[in-house]
Amino acid sequence: MSYVKFLLLALLLISSQSFVLGQEPAPQETSGKSMVDFGLEGMLGVSVGPDFYAVNVGGPSLFLNINPDWKVGVGALPSLYVYEGKLGARLGVAPRVDYRKLAFFVPFFHMDSQDQWVWSVGMGYKFH
């Protein structure tokens, strides 16, 4: 149950920043010329598992765009984690479902010293 409380608190903290991070610039008028549009999309999230807590950022991902609101995919999640009381950094692999500006993911991390996989469940906020 404490995992759920931690995840809800983290989501509340992330969504409270949405007014700043979620603002998109007003569209600018252009002359009839074609413009190349560049942008960055990122994701910041938290995930929790059995004796495992992590702060995750969105890494490279492959997505299937179902419609403008929904995406389904798999990707890499560079993460800072606490596992069994020890702090570390690791790249996780996760299936991911995005709905508008929210990302839901289930990252898996390989722990070399124990030769085992550790899983967690997470939620994040996407920004542009």
Side-chain angles (χ1 to χ4, degrees), residues 8 15 25 40 53 57 59 61 64 69 73-74 78 82 85 87-90 92-93 102 104 114 118:
L8 290 175
S15 65
L40 294 174
Y53 305 92
V57 294
S61 301
L64 171 63
D69 291 337
V74 64
V82 176
L87 181 64
R90 187 140 326 253
V93 177
L102 294 178
F104 304 95
Q114 301 152 347
V118 176

Side-chain angles (χ1 to χ4, degrees), residues 46-113:
V46 295
S47 61
V48 295
D51 203 19
F52 183 87
Y53 305 92
V55 175
N56 318 99
V57 294
S61 301
L62 293 173
F63 284 109
L64 171 63
N65 292 325
I66 297 172
N67 62 42
D69 291 337
W70 288 94
K71 293 181 187 177
V72 177
V74 64
L77 290 174
S79 305
L80 292 174
Y81 69 88
V82 176
Y83 179 57
E84 295 179 345
K86 296 178 184 174
L87 181 64
R90 187 140 326 253
L91 182 65
V93 177
R96 181 172 151 178
V97 175
D98 291 4
Y99 176 70
R100 296 187 182 176
K101 294 200 176 270
L102 294 178
F104 304 95
F105 48 93
V106 181
F108 293 86
F109 301 89
H110 187 261
M111 300 300 173
D112 299 329
S113 61

